[in-house]
Amino acid sequence: MKTVALIETNHGNGHHLTYLRLFTKCLLELGHRVMAFYPQPDELTTWTKLNCAEHSERLWTFKLDKAKRRKIPLIGLAPQPVAVIERWRHAASAICQASEKIGFSPDLVFFNWLDNYLSHYLPHPIIDYVFPYNWSGIYFRPGILRFGERSLTGLGEPLAHYAVAKSSRCQALAMLNEELVEALQQELRKPVIAFPDITDETPPEPNFSLAKEIREKAGSRKVIGLIGSLSKRKGILTLLESAQQSTQENWFFVLAGALVENLFHQDFDRRLTDDYRRVKQFIESPPPNCFFYLESIPDDGKFNAVIDACDVLFAAYENFPYSSNLLTKAAVFKKPIIVSEGFCMAERVKKFRFGVAIPEGDVSKCIQALHYLCDQPDAVGTKLNPDFDGYKSLHSREQIRHVFELILSRIDAQLMVA
């Protein structure tokens, strides 16, 4: 039996709580003890007692909020590397206090969102000094895809965003973008693991009013859904303009989720502000083939009921070279999906044949894709020959067990050598 500390400071945003719950359940079922750090720990404790009651006595939960970014006189907010060091200190302090309280320390600390603990221009010896625990975590949005390579003036070598992973205390690096695994593994000379992009597979709540309303309003029309938080990067304008240009088609467009206004105003770009105004115009005077539900759908059974009410899912995101677990939702509920060309999601959809990739922001290609997927009674089965089960298996909860077993085996191997 080992003790694993799970660190998750993102609260109420997307899949963060889902991941924390599923990781906790997996580790408890493997026979380990879990120390979980989260802003609202009761949300995990209650769920575990309901879904993993026989093991819940091996779970200890602790409240942990995000570290506040300090202000430095004459400079303002602390530079990113300094802020990241403070996050490591903050986590180390919380773990130390919790360990003193329960009488033992973690064998492994796993950061559910490791990105918050990485930065350019940050060498690993500093982190080794402030964080005296074995660690691992999921690198969701690799810096090479977000920022490109960076280097200080006069230095020829790039400064990797993930440089702290060179620490001997880093047992493995997990990431969703499987196409980067081999290159990073060669550079770091330690396991880099393709982590499954899991999702909650709770059966759809049969009596959820929103799902019923969608089906009633759609009638015989095919339902095309953009489900989840609604922001510019989700390709919302592409879908809305496609809807506006296809009112004569037998299609019904559903946009369900919280509208994230601040993400239309990044960098004070006026064009983004205008995009938000355009979206608001659609909402206030919707085309007859559109339906809006602008509230979060946090409950998994309800969310899955809305997914299940759709015939086609839309995920043609903008400037998004990462993974999305909406693909896993699509596989679980056997829904064809539209994604953007050129990125990780497009490669997966092509490999497992359960959707269509279009050029980012291309309305005409989006409409073509909808014709391809919607016009025939059994278009998906006859045209795509989708391997939903293959994708679902690759990104299943069972795969999480293998990942944690691999990482924890590294600690066993080090103890044997010592």
Side-chain angles (χ1 to χ4, degrees):
M1 177 191 295
K2 290 189 173 55
T3 302
V4 180
L6 298 175
I7 305 289
E8 176 58 86
T9 56
N10 295 296
H11 175 249
N13 181 15
H15 58 255
H16 296 289
L17 180 56
T18 294
Y19 269 44
L20 180 62
R21 287 169 170 171
L22 295 180
F23 295 172
T24 297
K25 188 172 188 290
C26 173
L27 287 162
L28 291 175
E29 290 176 345
L30 286 171
H32 302 299
R33 297 183 295 198
V34 175
M35 302 167 64
F37 296 82
Y38 186 62
Q40 297 290 338
D42 288 347
E43 294 184 16
L44 175 63
T45 304
T46 301
W47 184 91
T48 304
K49 288 179 179 178
L50 290 173
N51 293 272
C52 196
E54 65 273 27
H55 304 301
S56 60
E57 75 281 356
R58 284 187 276 110
L59 169 65
W60 289 263
T61 59
F62 306 93
K63 181 177 174 62
L64 180 66
D65 292 308
K66 291 182 179 180
K68 293 182 179 180
R69 193 164 181 175
R70 293 187 296 111
K71 289 187 177 181
I72 298 176
L74 304 179
I75 295 178
L77 286 177
Q80 183 67 14
V82 176
V84 169
I85 293 170
E86 185 57 35
R87 290 171 193 160
W88 285 96
R89 287 185 185 275
H90 186 60
S93 176
I95 293 168
C96 180
Q97 292 178 32
S99 298
E100 290 177 354
K101 183 176 181 179
I102 63 178
F104 49 86
S105 299
D107 300 289
L108 175 74
V109 179
F110 191 87
F111 294 91
N112 288 10
W113 187 277
L114 185 60
D115 305 51
N116 290 345
Y117 298 84
L118 304 178
S119 174
H120 288 100
Y121 320 125
L122 184 59
H124 70 82
I126 296 177
I127 302 306
D128 288 343
Y129 178 75
V130 302
F131 195 81
Y133 303 99
N134 292 319
W135 61 271
S136 181
I138 308 176
Y139 190 18
F140 275 86
R141 298 186 178 180
I144 191 67
L145 300 179
R146 296 168 64 190
F147 315 113
E149 291 186 342
R150 291 184 177 181
S151 60
L152 291 173
T153 303
L155 294 179
E157 292 296 320
L159 299 171
H161 185 250
Y162 50 85
V164 297
K166 294 180 179 179
S167 166
S168 61
R169 292 201 178 104
C170 175
Q171 301 302 304
L173 191 66
M175 60 194 315
L176 303 181
N177 285 71
E178 63 272 11
E179 74 277 11
L180 301 178
V181 164
E182 185 175 350
L184 261 66
Q185 187 160 277
Q186 290 180 359
E187 180 180 351
L188 295 174
R189 297 182 181 179
K190 66 180 59 179
V192 177
I193 305 163
F195 200 89
D197 201 346
I198 55 172
T199 192
D200 190 285
E201 300 179 21
T202 300
E205 185 173 313
N207 297 316
F208 183 38
S209 58
L210 176 59
K212 285 184 173 181
E213 185 177 5
I214 290 170
R215 289 191 173 98
E216 289 171 0
K217 289 182 179 295
S220 64
R221 291 176 289 181
K222 294 282 188 178
V223 177
I224 296 96
L226 173 51
I227 314 300
S229 63
L230 305 176
S231 62
K232 183 180 185 297
R233 74 165 179 84
K234 292 290 188 75
I236 184 172
L237 277 172
T238 302
L239 188 64
L240 288 174
E241 289 170 7
S242 298
Q244 188 176 51
Q245 294 182 27
S246 57
T247 54
Q248 77 284 1
E249 303 294 343
N250 196 40
W251 305 335
F252 187 65
F253 295 81
V254 173
L255 294 91
L259 184 64
V260 189
E261 179 180 353
N262 64 304
L263 295 183
F264 285 82
H265 301 279
Q266 293 172 347
D267 302 323
F268 303 99
D269 186 326
R270 177 174 175 77
R271 183 176 61 83
L272 294 181
T273 301
D274 291 341
D275 284 344
Y276 181 72
R277 292 184 182 137
R278 179 82 172 123
V279 171
K280 291 291 286 183
Q281 288 174 359
F282 272 108
I283 294 170
E284 293 166 2
S285 300
N289 59 348
C290 285
F291 174 78
F292 295 92
Y293 178 85
L294 302 180
E295 297 179 24
S296 178
I297 314 171
D299 180 84
D300 295 309
K302 292 182 173 66
F303 191 95
N304 290 345
V306 177
I307 293 288
D308 198 43
C310 298
D311 296 291
V312 175
L313 297 177
F314 179 85
Y317 300 159
E318 297 182 5
N319 191 28
F320 190 80
Y322 317 109
S323 177
S324 167
N325 74 353
L326 194 63
L327 291 182
T328 315
K329 291 281 190 195
V332 168
F333 295 101
K334 301 187 184 311
K335 306 293 180 180
I337 191 166
I338 298 174
V339 300
S340 292
E341 288 181 351
F343 300 124
C344 166
M345 291 167 66
E347 290 301 313
R348 292 179 182 176
V349 164
K350 178 180 178 182
K351 180 178 179 180
F352 290 92
R353 308 178 304 280
F354 64 104
V356 177
I358 64 171
E360 185 178 297
D362 193 320
V363 173
S364 64
K365 291 295 184 182
C366 182
I367 293 173
Q368 287 181 30
L370 289 171
H371 277 295
Y372 182 79
L373 295 174
C374 296
D375 283 358
Q376 299 300 319
D378 190 26
V380 176
T382 57
K383 292 181 178 179
L384 295 178
N385 186 27
D387 184 10
F388 289 122
D389 290 340
Y391 190 89
K392 176 183 173 182
S393 175
L394 190 63
H395 295 274
S396 67
R397 299 182 193 182
E398 182 61 31
Q399 296 300 324
I400 302 175
R401 298 172 61 93
H402 300 322
V403 172
F404 280 119
E405 286 172 342
L406 175 59
I407 297 172
L408 292 170
S409 71
R410 289 262 301 172
I411 296 173
D412 285 333
Q414 290 176 354
L415 290 173
M416 291 178 65
V417 171

